Amino acid sequence: MKPFRYERASGVAAACAAAARPAAKFVAGGTNLVDLMKLQIETPAHLVDISALPLSDIEETAEGGLRIGALVTNSTAAADATVRRRYPLLSQAILAGASTQLRNKATTGGNLLQRTRCPYFYDTTKPCNKRVPGSGCAALGGINRMNAVLGVSDDCIAAHGSDMAVAMTALSARIETIAPDGATRTIPIDAFYRPPGNTPHIETVLAPGELIRSVLLPPPPPGRQVYRKVRDRASYAFALVSAAVIVASDNGLVNAARVAFGGISYKPWRSVEAEAALIGVTATRESFDAAGVSALRDARGYGYNDFKIPLARRTLRATLAVAAGVI
Amino acid sequence: MQSPTPPRALTSRRRFLETGGVATLALASSPAIAEIAEQSSSSRSRNTESVRLTVNGRQHALDLDPRTTLLDALREHLALTGTKKGCDQGQCGACTVIVNGQRINSCLALAVMHAGDEITTIEGLVEDGDLHPMQAAFVRHDGLQCGYCTPGQICSAVALLAEHKAGWPSYVTADVATAPALTDAEIAERMSGNICRCSAYPNIVAAIRDVAEGGRS
């Protein structure tokens, strides 16, 4: 690990100012950052510890939603009574990720900002445009079975690893931030992650020193919420594909639908195409399959990950079937 | 089932290690050695942080390079070698310790970030020289082969029971709004952060189930 200066932030404003300096990083749970620092993939000169800041509350909002503080741990969010009762999708998704030990440390804000697990991002002997801009992408012609099939570029095909963020995307979450100059803003989660394009090292729209304060969940949409994760082993593995769905139907006709995928893009992938394809159709395995075809129309495989395209379609079909009670 | 006799060999081995640990600490705290240690550490780097760690109820004042993980602070600075270094990247769970009642991977935790926290390691589970019920259950059920992952497994299992008692759901809980019964499937899912290369899983599950049910099977 490269040497760094460790600083405990005394308040939100001080934290933002400290982290706005070059080569400065926030640290909270540290479960991803410390790992990457050991590998010298992350080499911050200043580490700004925000773990004592007062951002650990979960509170109901006036409009009937929920505000989850950036420092709420994944375990706390998943075990929260309101989350479990009104946003079971979020609880399920968080519990699908990592292990209890990691969820006890990992925070809401840190989970959103986790880096990709593309094996070539981790392998410092190989080119990676995300790790070393301009060096190339070893995943394109490499063992890319964990990589993305939607929304990526020929400079980077890394997939985002979060489960939590997939549920938040289906729930139309908004991310509340504060900048070093004190300005606050609210960013829809679907606009939070930047497409890789030819700058895959720039992953979000956050400015230097801008701090995630909380995640705002609107009131839950109508319908049954189900998260399903498909992976190489039964637990404690990143998703090959995951699906977060919320479906409401009346007399067998779907009248409301939310669909988001994990494991197939640089961000949690909200599929407005699948949602549009579901509205008004009879809830059957065939119509659910058609929604999956719509969702994956623009998908492109890179060899080893070709299987993700039919797998995502089938995972969506199976998850919708559970949510709609169609066996 | 009749339970075997108490694990005298294990207890005495632990006592031997404890004695060794105390001797090491006593040496390190003798003035001459402490001076040498301080000189060599200051010649390496002046970037150190004063950290007070509370481990197994005892306070320790340490001067640490901020890069020091909690795992290395426990093993290399406090001679508490019960906590094991397996993968050192948060994937195996051998380094699991309990911090403020919650289990974490100590390999991914910077020690400086845990000043003031209550840290419990495998050494802190023994009460008045008696094995913790979870330790005794692992022995009774043969929940280990090589034993390297065992301290992490046991710390994890102790915290698991507290989480279950608090009503936490898991990924295999059918309805996350309910507090599930601790089935074998629930135990396996909740222990998935602890890898056992010898694959002693069936007996690990049996040991945890035994303690959860409050007695010996």
Side-chain angles (χ1 to χ4, degrees), chain B residues 158-171:
Chain B
V158 168
L160 177 158
L161 293 187
E163 293 155 7
H164 178 255
K165 202 171 171 187
W168 286 18
S170 85
Y171 184 65

Side-chain angles (χ1 to χ4, degrees), chain A residues 125-168:
Chain A
T125 68
K126 298 289 192 301
C128 170
N129 287 322
K130 191 184 276 297
R131 179 166 32 77
V132 181
S135 62
C137 173
L140 277 178
I143 309 296
N144 50 35
R145 69 186 294 274
M146 297 301 290
N147 289 71
V149 295
L150 269 170
V152 288
S153 73
D154 283 346
D155 285 312
C156 181
I157 57 171
H160 198 265
S162 176
D163 291 290
M164 179 196 82
V166 180
M168 287 178 172

Side-chain angles (χ1 to χ4, degrees), chain B residues 74-122:
Chain B
L74 292 169
R75 289 182 57 85
E76 310 297 335
H77 295 262
L78 297 176
L80 291 170
T81 55
T83 307
K84 300 301 185 217
K85 181 180 282 192
C87 68
D88 207 26
Q89 51 187 8
Q91 294 183 4
C92 76
C95 68
T96 302
V97 298
I98 302 171
V99 175
N100 298 334
Q102 299 203 329
R103 49 178 161 155
I104 66 165
N105 299 114
S106 60
C107 74
L108 292 182
L110 295 175
V112 287
M113 293 180 69
H114 289 282
D117 288 345
E118 293 284 338
I119 299 156
T120 303
T121 68
I122 189 74

Side-chain angles (χ1 to χ4, degrees), chain B residues 129-162:
Chain B
D130 291 332
L131 293 181
H132 184 282
M134 191 64 77
Q135 292 176 303
F138 267 65
V139 172
R140 209 158 53 240
H141 289 275
D142 216 3
L144 59 141
Q145 284 187 46
C146 83
Y148 195 79
C149 72
T150 311
Q153 298 276 0
I154 289 174
C155 284
S156 201
V158 168
L160 177 158
L161 293 187

